[in-house]
Amino acid sequence: MKNQLELTFTSLPGNVGIARMLIASVAAQLDLALSDIEELKVVISEAVSNSIIHGYKNKEDMPITLRIEYDEKKLKILVRDQGCGIPDIEQAMQPAYSTDPERMGLGFVFMQSFMDDLQVESTVNEGTTVIMVKELENIRPSKH
């Protein structure tokens, strides 16, 4: 059974919590362990927060699209913004790199360590798409 959810919301910081609740609800349906659910909540928080803080420079009326697709084998999370884009993705993915000196710069590090695949597509002045994949067969027993 394959399912897909898509939600577009404005770049308000409070919407990070809604994204976290949505992924937690999906993960609970997939019968994932609490530790795996917590990791998914972290990665979705980081991706959405990056869109708000870095993509939109905290402008609160811009669109962020969250798409969650899943079946028995894998979970795919896509977060897309139409913000300023990332000029150097490789640099942005380095541990402790941040364009904001108040931030730790660990968002992509968490995404890479908690997910099985991470892809970042970005065009300056057009936006960024972050695609994260979790292979479910690796973290829970298959249902037969």
Side-chain angles (χ1 to χ4, degrees):
M1 169 230 37
K2 185 169 185 162
N3 195 6
Q4 176 178 310
L5 305 163
E6 187 166 301
L7 176 65
T8 299
F9 48 87
T10 55
S11 52
L12 290 165
N15 286 336
V16 173
I18 291 170
R20 288 173 58 90
M21 286 183 359
L22 181 58
I23 196 62
S25 297
V26 168
Q29 288 180 19
L30 293 170
D31 200 28
L32 299 184
L34 284 177
S35 59
D36 294 315
I37 293 172
E38 287 304 315
E39 288 179 358
L40 291 170
K41 287 165 60 178
V42 168
V43 300
I44 212 160
S45 293
E46 293 295 337
V48 173
S49 294
N50 279 353
S51 290
I52 294 169
I53 294 163
H54 302 293
Y56 292 132
K57 311 277 192 240
N58 295 306
K59 192 172 178 190
E60 295 186 341
D61 60 348
M62 303 302 291
I64 297 173
T65 299
L66 168 62
R67 183 183 315 141
I68 301 170
E69 300 173 13
Y70 61 94
D71 58 23
E72 297 80 23
K73 295 183 179 180
K74 82 175 159 184
L75 171 68
K76 180 178 177 182
I77 302 168
L78 177 145
V79 177
R80 175 181 296 131
D81 66 53
Q82 299 168 12
C84 65
I86 303 170
D88 186 339
I89 293 171
E90 192 174 316
Q91 180 185 40
M93 294 179 78
Q94 294 300 313
Y97 175 81
S98 179
T99 57
D100 181 344
E102 301 293 313
R103 310 284 300 175
M104 291 189 313
L106 296 174
F108 283 130
V109 173
F110 288 134
M111 290 179 226
Q112 284 178 314
S113 63
F114 293 157
M115 302 301 282
D116 294 307
D117 186 43
L118 170 65
Q119 297 172 33
V120 180
E121 303 164 359
S122 190
T123 303
V124 173
N125 299 322
E126 290 184 23
T128 301
T129 301
V130 175
I131 302 165
M132 301 172 281
V133 176
K134 186 71 153 174
E135 300 293 338
L136 300 176
E137 294 173 318
N138 299 337
I139 60 172
R140 64 172 162 76
S142 58
K143 296 179 180 176
H144 294 285

